[in-house]
Amino acid sequence: MRTFIAATVTASCFLAAPAAAEQSTLARIKETSTIKLGYRENSPPFSFAADDKKAQGYSVDLCMRVADDIARQMGIAKLTVHWVPVSAESRFDAVKNGEIDIECGNSTQTLSRRADFDFSLMTFVDGASLLYLRGENPKSLQDVKGQRIAVVSGTTTEKAMAQLAADDKLGVQLIRVKDHNEALAALKSKKATAYAADRTVLITTALLGGGGTEYSLAESQFTYEPYGLMMRRDADMRLAVDRSLAQLYRSGEIGPVLKKWFGPLGDPGEVLKVMVLLNGLPE
């Protein structure tokens, strides 16, 4: 009987003991001297695979700056950067499963996403619009009635367009595709009459991947897209990333980075300038 009681008490102690705390992202980075960065292979100018298959883009440059600053903050003499390709749909699981520490793309911060993930300070501000073959762009929302619109699965634009599709008065038909190349192919083949995505992505996609075909961009903008670098929920990691970005904004060093990736598209606009100003938090 005494043996039974002792065994029961021992088992109860194991059941009552709290689970070991999950290792923080920064602790793992310091232990392994490695940071895992996710990038989109086809989302220029924010994140894409260059001709040499290496990650490039505005968000990629920001993540490289963050990685250098984290190495300095953590006292890591040589930090190895491991780049992991992700898609619009796989990026969320990649963060949750620990396959990547930061997603370096053009992910929009939303309240529902922030219930599951941490986001950095804002890195860009955009909004969704529609790309057409020249001469076919609408003049009003009613002009998209019954049209077939391509949209990349797993994006906030897909959600916005799904709401339009649910409107019986418009009767929009959605063609869900895996990436921007597939969307552009659907547009060029006239499988889709329009391609819905963030304006900057549409402009860059048409310029870089248009293949000489002329496009026109609708004047309307029907969503608000505040981008941020996405991470798992970890306050210390988020603070380290924010500290790096804030210093980048505050010092004005963000200027050459913006010019490098968005200079050909014209003036960045007052909204983006204000975003940089407001997110340059003091130390």
Side-chain angles (χ1 to χ4, degrees):
M1 178 62 72
R2 283 196 298 269
T3 301
F4 173 76
I5 293 174
T8 302
V9 171
T10 300
S12 298
C13 289
F14 279 114
L15 290 172
E22 187 177 7
Q23 186 182 37
S24 72
T25 305
L26 288 177
R28 190 205 57 74
I29 291 173
K30 185 167 186 178
E31 180 182 297
T32 63
S33 294
T34 301
I35 188 168
K36 297 173 289 185
L37 303 178
Y39 73 100
R40 299 273 293 279
E41 293 183 286
N42 181 32
S43 194
F46 299 96
S47 182
F48 61 98
D51 292 339
D52 59 4
K53 305 303 179 183
K54 292 183 179 179
Q56 286 195 22
Y58 171 70
S59 299
V60 169
D61 281 1
L62 294 187
C63 278
M64 287 300 298
R65 169 64 179 251
V66 167
D68 288 343
D69 286 345
I70 286 178
R72 187 161 46 252
Q73 293 172 31
M74 301 294 294
I76 303 172
K78 183 175 177 56
L79 180 67
T80 298
V81 177
H82 181 47
W83 288 101
V84 181
V86 296
S87 67
E89 290 188 289
S90 70
R91 55 184 162 166
F92 303 107
D93 285 339
V95 173
K96 282 184 178 179
N97 299 336
E99 297 171 34
I100 59 176
D101 300 315
I102 308 174
E103 190 263 332
C104 311
N106 51 320
S107 291
T108 299
Q109 304 188 48
T110 66
L111 293 176
S112 58
R113 285 179 176 178
R114 287 174 65 183
D116 297 315
F117 304 96
D118 270 345
F119 283 87
S120 70
L121 296 173
M122 291 171 62
T123 56
F124 198 79
V125 181
D126 211 342
S129 188
L130 296 171
L131 186 73
Y132 289 83
L133 293 176
R134 185 171 294 280
E136 298 182 8
N137 55 311
K139 302 302 180 184
S140 70
L141 190 61
Q142 288 300 318
D143 289 341
V144 303
K145 184 176 181 179
Q147 291 194 13
R148 304 177 307 280
I149 300 178
V151 63
V152 177
S153 298
T155 62
T156 49
T157 305
E158 180 195 17
K159 184 177 180 180
M161 294 308 302
Q163 292 175 343
L164 283 179
D167 187 337
D168 293 335
K169 295 180 181 178
L170 291 178
V172 172
Q173 302 174 49
L174 292 190
I175 299 175
R176 292 175 170 84
V177 297
K178 66 178 181 179
D179 58 27
H180 302 300
N181 280 345
E182 192 171 315
L184 204 61
L187 184 60
K188 292 167 71 173
S189 67
K190 296 192 176 183
K191 178 181 178 181
T193 52
Y195 167 30
D198 294 346
R199 289 181 68 87
T200 303
V201 172
L202 290 177
I203 292 170
T204 309
T205 299
L207 289 176
L208 298 182
T213 306
E214 292 189 336
Y215 296 93
S216 56
L217 186 65
E219 294 182 3
S220 60
Q221 183 170 306
F222 51 87
T223 65
Y224 165 53
E225 310 289 343
Y227 296 165
L229 304 179
M230 186 168 60
M231 303 157 274
R232 70 170 178 158
R233 292 177 68 99
D234 184 328
D236 290 338
M237 179 64 174
R238 184 184 69 237
L239 179 60
V241 174
D242 285 350
R243 176 170 281 124
S244 177
L245 292 178
Q247 198 281 329
L248 183 67
Y249 299 158
R250 196 171 59 244
S251 66
E253 295 173 58
I254 187 63
V257 184
L258 288 169
K259 185 177 181 180
K260 174 183 176 182
W261 294 108
F262 303 104
L265 305 183
D267 187 275
E270 292 304 314
V271 173
L272 189 58
K273 293 176 184 177
V274 170
M275 184 216 78
V276 170
L277 179 65
L278 294 179
N279 285 273
L281 303 182
E283 187 62 40

